[in-house]
Every structure is written in structure tokens, then in C-alpha cells.
Amino acid sequence: MASFGDTDERDMISMIRGCIRKAPCDTDDDAAVIPVGRGDLVVCTDSVTFERHKPEGMTFEQFGWMSAAVNMSDLAAMGATPIGIVSALALPKEMDTSDVCTIMTGMDECAEFCGCHILGGDTKPGNGTVAVTALGVMEGRRPMTRKGASPGDVIAVTGDLGAAAAGFLALANGFDIPDAISALCAPIPRIEEGKILSSTGMVTSCIDLSDGLATAVNTICSMNGCGAIIEWDLLPRSPHVDDVCGRLGIGDREITIGWGGEYELLFTFDRKDAEALYDTGVEFSMIGLVTERDVVLHRDGKYEEIANGSY
């Protein structure tokens, strides 16, 4: 197989077309035309790099999935329905073209999981960066944003916390913990959960946990001029956190709330709506309350300041 640097761009694009699903619209031009007519359009973009986001042990397919997932998660936090993604690849010239196609296959698999297609993109020589832009529509739902939380609101999260951090440490230390590694390398965007939560009109603010719980809580509080109390005993910690911390002899606080790389949703709502939200079928845990000021963690009878995470 030829290297990326020795392959003409149009030939590379042709190869990529052969390894992903055909989109339901014409993608032969430099821009795709997407019939929408389904409410507000939502657009987000993010990039990942080999250096920062591809730990040793992550496959190119998983890297492609993750490059799409980080954007799909931003759509999920708004409650949007994905309608397509475009990607720009800046890759080393010596990279094998089969690995380029494998990245795109992983990206396409994530797009398929989320109900959309790859609509186009670009390839250039570079240091190993994949930038993805995702498009979504609200279909009449009101977008969930980071603004709107107020003192007294409940803070909740979907899923478990800390599995991605545990997966990173498992890879770094050669631990055989497949579920944790999968949580890191192939995160699941909470598209359906976001759409359901948005449709209730009860969510006062929402953000995903791509940068970790600590950063997410601080972001919400900063945007709304408020504080928060997070109850340690209410956090739905992944069982892999204790496993990895036990093996390495390290504390569990940072892994649970300080790391990113996971794509659950953190959202707030009026406590009177708790039962109605549970009735939607979305699984979530109530972990704290929005307060007037200060962002703190309540653990073992003590209150500790929560700063932004280190991820």
C-alpha cells in the first residue's frame, strides 16, 4: 500500500469514498447541499491530534470514531439530531493510505451509530490532526445551552464517571481492562438521551463531560454566576476507578472528577421536575445542587473547592 505523501489528493479521496458509506446527498462538489426543513440548524467543530488524543494502544479505527464522537457529543448536549459531518485530515506524508482509510472507517461507524453520514472533507500533509465539523437540527425542540441554571436547581449526570481515565491508565500500565479501554477509545455520544431531555423543556442547562466533571461544573457556574455543591457519595463512579486506583496505589478524586475523555451529559433542572424526568426513561444520577456561590465537593464531612480539571 502506498504512503499518504506519495498519493495524489484526488486518489486519496477516491480511496476514502470506497471505505465509507455513500451519503444520501450529492458529495461531488466542494460543498454538500443538505435539505433540512427540520428546525434550527446546530453546528459544532473540534479537532483531535495523534500527539494528544491517540495514546499508545488506541487503533486508527478507534481514533476515527473518537474524532467524530467528540463532535456528536456536543450536538447531544444541545439535544440536536445529527444530520452529517465533514472532516479535514492533516496527516504525516509517510502514513500508510490504508491507515488513513481506517481512520475514516471509524469516523463513518460513529456517524452511522448516530444516524448520519460523512458529507465531505479535505486531506493535507500535516502532523496528525483530524478536524471534524458536525451538523444537527433541533426538529422543533428547544436547544439546551450552558446558560439557565439557577440556585436551587438539581445537578445530574448520565452514566458512570471515571471509566475513560481508568482506561487511559490501564493502557499506560498494561492492565487488561477492556471495558475501561473501550470507554476511552470508543466513547458513546448520548444523542438519544440529549434529544429526550431537550424535548421535555425541563432542563435549565446542559454540557457534556468531554473535559471532565470538574471543568463542566465550573463552566456551568461561571456562565450563570452561581456556585455548586457536588456530593461525593452520590457520584456514579465506574467500578474500574477503584480497580485502577487499587493497582496503582493512587487516590480516586482526580480520576473521578478531574479527567476528561468521557462523554456523559451534565444537566440541571428544577427539583420539582425530577420525577417527570425519570419517567422519560433516561438513566441519570442526581449528584448535587446549584448554589449562590463557590464550587465545592462535599466528601467525608468536609467541603473542598473544585477547580477546573487537568485534562
Side-chain angles (χ1 to χ4, degrees), residues 227-240:
I229 294 177
I230 301 299
E231 296 288 345
W232 175 263
D233 290 340
L234 297 181
L235 295 179
R237 297 192 307 153
S238 164
H240 303 305

Side-chain angles (χ1 to χ4, degrees), residues 160-167 169 177 180 232 236-248 250-257 262:
D160 292 335
L161 304 174
L169 293 173
I177 313 178
W232 175 263
R237 297 192 307 153
S238 164
H240 303 305
V241 171
D242 288 340
D243 185 2
V244 169
C245 289
R247 297 193 198 196
L248 296 176
I250 59 176
D252 54 4
R253 184 186 190 275
E254 187 67 13
I255 290 180
T256 304
I257 70 172
E262 55 192 1

Side-chain angles (χ1 to χ4, degrees), residues 2-16 97 123:
S3 68
F4 177 64
D6 291 334
T7 304
D8 178 78
E9 181 179 15
R10 296 189 183 280
D11 290 339
M12 188 71 251
I13 291 172
S14 179
M15 293 175 65
I16 287 172
T97 55
T123 61

Side-chain angles (χ1 to χ4, degrees), residues 3 6 37 50 59 84 89 95 123 125 139 150 169 186 189 207 227 242 244 251 257-258 271 275 295 308:
S3 68
D6 291 334
F50 290 173
T59 67
L89 316 179
M95 187 173 178
T123 61
E139 300 178 307
S150 58
L169 293 173
I207 187 173
D242 288 340
V244 169
I257 70 172
R271 67 181 70 196
E275 185 174 350
V295 181
N308 284 325

Side-chain angles (χ1 to χ4, degrees), residues 41-101:
L41 181 67
V42 180
V43 182
C44 63
T45 188
D46 207 340
S47 61
V48 292
T49 67
F50 290 173
E51 180 182 12
R52 178 170 173 78
H53 301 99
K54 188 179 181 299
E56 186 175 352
M58 176 184 281
T59 67
F60 283 118
E61 184 176 15
Q62 290 170 332
F63 183 78
W65 173 289
M66 185 180 65
S67 70
V70 297
N71 288 277
M72 293 300 179
S73 186
D74 286 336
L75 293 183
M78 299 288 287
T81 297
I83 59 174
I85 60 176
V86 294
S87 63
L89 316 179
L91 302 175
K93 290 183 178 181
E94 65 275 14
M95 187 173 178
D96 199 299
T97 55
S98 65
D99 291 332
V100 178
C101 289

